């Protein structure tokens, strides 16, 4: 199975923890600052030791028999589920000219796999929703290695649709996401429907976080000469000179982002931005440092 998580990112994930702003349960079961071991944990299976694993996780009796290091992985049923929600609208398929084979959708899938890896490390349940007008991809929350593998298979199969689904197609979101669950939306936030969804989730008491996925072109607008700019969702086109358009675009894009951030802040939604030239774990570190 192809691995969506780069090796250097996977190593760094071992030192990162998903944290919610809410205490869950009398003993903090679920996502929390201090990852407990022992009571409430059930043995799941062994895996090979990797650099960064804690020595106390090594099964020394098994080492004595096999002369190899293995780590015991545990599963814990948690009242909290981590919902990874991916915007699958067409604009998420945009990439930069310098790296046309790596779109914001590719980055979102790698980030989703990383979130699933973190949740599995903590013994928490995690699930996936991919939202596009062609239909909803849904992986109900569970924990453990099998769930991680299901997540990877679903992510590998994901494709972008045309637009974000209309509100009347979002019923499964409300049916599935529990009151104490954590929602992480990976989106460019260009569709009003995506922003309205996180506002409604937050208003309904769901802890909702957003990673705003951005291309380098949106940051730098490096175009020169005549260009045909095309909206991938509406098909609308604009013929313009890149240099002449640059100042106006950057100003208007900054205004749009400021308005977006003001809406998210007003809703109590923690948000960070991700540029396509950044490691996919960097926004996660920023996000959970901000929680």
């Amino acid at each position: 199975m192809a691995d969506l998580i780069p090796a250097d990112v996977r190593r760094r994930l071992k030192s990162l923890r998903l944290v919610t702003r809410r205490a869950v349960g009398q003993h903090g079961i679920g996502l929390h600052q201090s990852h407990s071991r022992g009571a409430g944990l059930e043995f799941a299976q062994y895996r090979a030791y990797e650099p960064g694993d804690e020595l106390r996780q090594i099964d020394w009796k098994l080492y004595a028999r096999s002369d190899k290091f293995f780590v015991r992985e545990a599963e814990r049923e948690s009242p909290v589920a981590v919902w990874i929600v991916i915007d699958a609208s067409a604009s998420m398929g945009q990439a930069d000219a310098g790296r046309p084979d790596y779109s914001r959708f590719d980055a979102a899938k790698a980030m989703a796999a990383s979130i699933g890896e973190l949740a599995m490390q903590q013994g928490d349940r995690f699930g996936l929703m991919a939202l596009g007008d062609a239909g909803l991809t849904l992986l109900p929350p569970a924990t453990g290695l099998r769930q991680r593998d299901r997540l990877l298979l679903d992510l590998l199969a994901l494709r972008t649709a045309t637009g974000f689904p209309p509100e009347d197609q979002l019923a499964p979101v409300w049916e599935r996401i529990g009151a104490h669950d954590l929602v992480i939306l990976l989106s460019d936030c260009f569709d009003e429907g995506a922003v309205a969804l996180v506002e409604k989730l937050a208003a309904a008491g769901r802890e909702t976080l957003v990673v705003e996925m951005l291309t380098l072109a949106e940051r730098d607008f490096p175009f020169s000469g005549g260009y045909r700019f095309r909206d991938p969702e509406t098909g609308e086109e604009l013929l313009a000179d890149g240099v002449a358009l640059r100042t106006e675009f950057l100003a208007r894009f900054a205004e749009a982002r400021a308005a977006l951030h003001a809406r998210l802040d007003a809703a109590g939604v923690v948000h960070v931005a991700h540029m396509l030239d950044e490691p996919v774990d960097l926004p996660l570190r920023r996000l959970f440092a901000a929680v």
Side-chain angles (χ1 to χ4, degrees):
M1 183 187 301
D3 194 346
L4 293 171
I5 308 175
D8 59 334
V9 171
R10 183 176 293 280
R11 286 193 298 271
R12 291 195 296 268
L13 290 177
K14 294 183 182 297
S15 64
L16 184 61
R17 291 289 180 267
L18 297 174
V19 184
T20 65
R21 288 174 290 179
R22 299 173 182 160
V24 180
Q26 193 173 21
H27 302 291
I29 295 174
L31 301 180
H32 50 85
Q33 294 272 8
S34 178
H35 178 43
S36 64
R37 297 183 180 274
L41 293 176
E42 295 183 2
F43 172 68
Q45 66 182 59
Y46 292 103
R47 64 168 172 80
Y49 172 83
E50 297 176 0
D53 287 331
E54 297 179 17
L55 293 179
R56 64 178 177 172
Q57 292 178 263
I58 296 174
D59 190 307
W60 296 104
K61 292 182 179 179
L62 185 58
Y63 169 73
R65 296 196 303 269
S66 65
D67 199 32
K68 293 181 180 179
F69 292 113
F70 289 94
V71 169
R72 292 173 60 91
E73 293 220 315
E75 290 184 358
R76 176 185 56 204
E77 188 66 18
S78 167
V80 167
V82 182
W83 280 103
I84 307 160
V85 181
I86 297 181
D87 176 353
S89 59
S91 60
M92 286 288 287
Q94 185 175 349
D96 287 299
R99 193 179 177 185
D101 59 341
Y102 184 68
S103 67
R104 52 177 134 225
F105 198 60
D106 295 319
K109 292 197 283 187
M111 200 174 300
S114 299
I115 295 168
E117 191 76 17
L118 288 172
M120 185 187 71
Q121 288 177 185
Q122 297 181 188
D124 289 300
R125 296 182 299 131
F126 54 98
L128 172 71
M129 290 185 186
L131 306 179
D133 57 6
L136 172 73
T137 296
L138 174 66
L139 175 65
T143 190
L145 288 169
R146 289 183 181 178
Q147 179 72 353
R148 189 270 309 274
D149 291 344
R150 293 187 195 103
L151 174 66
L152 292 177
L153 286 171
D154 283 357
L155 290 172
L156 288 169
L158 277 185
R159 301 292 183 269
T160 54
T162 301
F164 198 78
E167 187 174 359
D168 61 5
Q169 292 181 15
L170 294 175
V173 175
W174 303 106
E175 294 167 358
R176 296 280 183 163
I177 297 176
H180 297 294
D181 291 350
L182 173 67
V183 181
I184 306 173
L185 173 69
L186 312 178
S187 172
D188 54 25
C189 298
F190 291 167
D191 287 273
E192 168 60 25
V195 182
L197 176 62
V198 296
E199 287 178 321
K200 290 176 181 177
L201 284 167
R206 274 58 173 174
E207 184 168 357
T208 308
L209 313 176
V210 171
V211 180
E212 181 188 8
M213 313 293 294
L214 297 172
T215 64
L216 305 187
E218 288 155 353
R219 181 189 67 192
D220 304 330
F221 204 77
F223 306 104
S224 60
Y227 270 86
R228 183 189 300 271
F229 298 95
R230 182 177 181 275
D231 186 319
E233 297 183 16
T234 66
E236 293 182 18
E237 294 185 343
L238 171 67
L239 295 175
D241 178 77
V243 173
L245 191 61
R246 184 175 188 272
T247 299
E248 180 184 1
F249 171 84
L250 292 177
R252 293 180 65 179
F253 194 67
E255 290 174 3
R257 290 190 67 205
L260 167 66
H261 297 167
R263 288 180 64 179
L264 296 177
D265 290 340
V269 175
V270 176
H271 54 91
V272 295
H274 173 64
M275 298 289 177
L276 288 187
D277 61 347
E278 296 177 336
V280 293
D281 59 317
L282 182 57
L284 300 180
R285 293 179 182 279
R286 292 171 175 162
L287 191 59
F288 292 103
V291 173

